[in-house]
Amino acid sequence: MIELTVNGQKRQIDADGDTPLLWVLRDDLGMTGTKYGCGIAQCGACSVMIDGTVTRSCVTPVEAVASAQITTIEAVEADPVGARVVEAWVKHQVPQCGYCQSGQVMAATSLLKQKAKPSDADVEAAMTNLCRCGTYNAIKAAVRDVAGLAPAQEHGA
């Protein structure tokens, strides 16, 4: 048995220590907001926060996070920054298909918790999740909105 703290609740998990956290969240705990994308930590659909830092859960062994605070998309709005990120996502109509968006929201929340007023370079460095629909401009606008920054100027405008 492995004890995890997920969204503030202690949970007993009967899984091998090398089982990826993603599968424990989805299959054992029924938290399907965290998505499977690539399985090799490249796309970010599986992003959760571990002790406040965005982490790819598809390659994170469950035994490595047994003493950590795990936050998933299901509880992100309980955090004031996370709630503001979700509000900005709606305001800026960020999602199209929506598949990657839980990971995007987790990445943005982690960034804004670590740096309340990120530069455009900070946003670009932190928001590395892939979006097949190409909502990157809306994502950047939503992050800038939460940070209280002026909208980015378009080139040639």
Side-chain angles (χ1 to χ4, degrees), residues 48-60:
V48 298
M49 286 189 292
I50 306 295
D51 293 331
T53 301
V54 70
T55 303
R56 308 290 210 234
S57 67
C58 71
V59 295
T60 302

Side-chain angles (χ1 to χ4, degrees), residues 3-70:
E3 184 174 278
L4 299 178
T5 304
V6 181
N7 299 333
Q9 296 183 339
K10 298 270 186 203
R11 306 295 293 265
Q12 295 289 327
I13 305 302
D14 185 15
D16 292 335
D18 62 350
T19 303
L21 175 61
L22 174 64
W23 301 124
V24 170
L25 293 172
R26 291 184 60 82
D27 296 343
D28 297 336
L29 300 179
M31 297 179 165
T32 58
T34 303
K35 304 298 184 195
Y36 173 80
C38 66
I40 57 172
Q42 297 299 304
C43 74
C46 68
S47 296
V48 298
M49 286 189 292
I50 306 295
D51 293 331
T53 301
V54 70
T55 303
R56 308 290 210 234
S57 67
C58 71
V59 295
T60 302
V62 71
E63 67 188 354
V65 295
S67 62
Q69 296 290 322
I70 302 163

